[in-house]
Amino acid sequence: GRRSSNALYVRTALRSLSRRSARRTPPLHLSGLEEAVEGDVGLVLVGNTSPWTYLGRLPVDPFPGASFDLGLDLLALERVGVGRTLKVVGQAIGSRDRPPDGAGVVHRHDVPAFTVTADEPVSFQVDGDYLGARSAVSFASVPKALRVVAGGTTGI
């Protein structure tokens, strides 16, 4: 019921991250990657565009180099917490030619497909739309799925 704003999104995200339940999310497992990820992760972001979004006029770009014409980019955090997440978000804001990095940060670029699983269902959203709790989600890149023509887009 509130007016959407950047400040509202930031406050909501910080409030969610500070809750104990957010840090007790069941571990997520990544599979199907050419370069395997050792161990579990607590948060996974997937994208295929750069920048991913904007915070006012500032680009938020956790996937530099990502493109609709390439595979998917993946950014994962081994543990979710306010400090670690703020550090990663800080690295993703503004113009930067490399993805967030540091201890507990996993990045993969141009991945054709992979799967995220959890031992019990966890909340899942796509582009801000909540799609319910899931215990497995598979992602696959489909380059050139749309053809852009003057005046609009048409599916191929």
Side-chain angles (χ1 to χ4, degrees), residues 6 9 45 47-63 89 92-95 127-128:
N6 290 328
Y9 286 120
L45 296 176
N48 65 347
T49 187
S50 175
W52 183 50
T53 191
Y54 287 86
L55 184 61
R57 293 182 178 168
L58 293 172
V60 179
D61 198 2
F63 314 116
V89 169
I93 292 176
S95 298
D127 228 6

Side-chain angles (χ1 to χ4, degrees), residues 43-135:
L43 173 75
V44 177
L45 296 176
V46 181
N48 65 347
T49 187
S50 175
W52 183 50
T53 191
Y54 287 86
L55 184 61
R57 293 182 178 168
L58 293 172
V60 179
D61 198 2
F63 314 116
S67 168
F68 292 126
D69 296 328
L70 302 174
L72 300 170
D73 274 35
L74 154 75
L75 180 70
L77 301 180
E78 289 176 2
R79 286 182 306 228
V80 178
V82 174
R84 180 182 307 265
T85 304
L86 286 176
K87 179 180 177 185
V88 169
V89 169
Q91 291 178 344
I93 292 176
S95 298
R96 184 177 152 122
D97 61 352
R98 65 183 193 276
D101 57 12
V105 177
V106 175
H107 176 259
R108 299 291 185 271
H109 173 67
D110 199 15
V111 176
F114 66 97
T115 299
V116 179
T117 58
D119 296 337
E120 56 187 80
V122 295
S123 295
F124 176 68
Q125 66 169 308
V126 172
D127 228 6
D129 292 325
Y130 179 67
L131 298 181
R134 309 291 166 112
S135 56

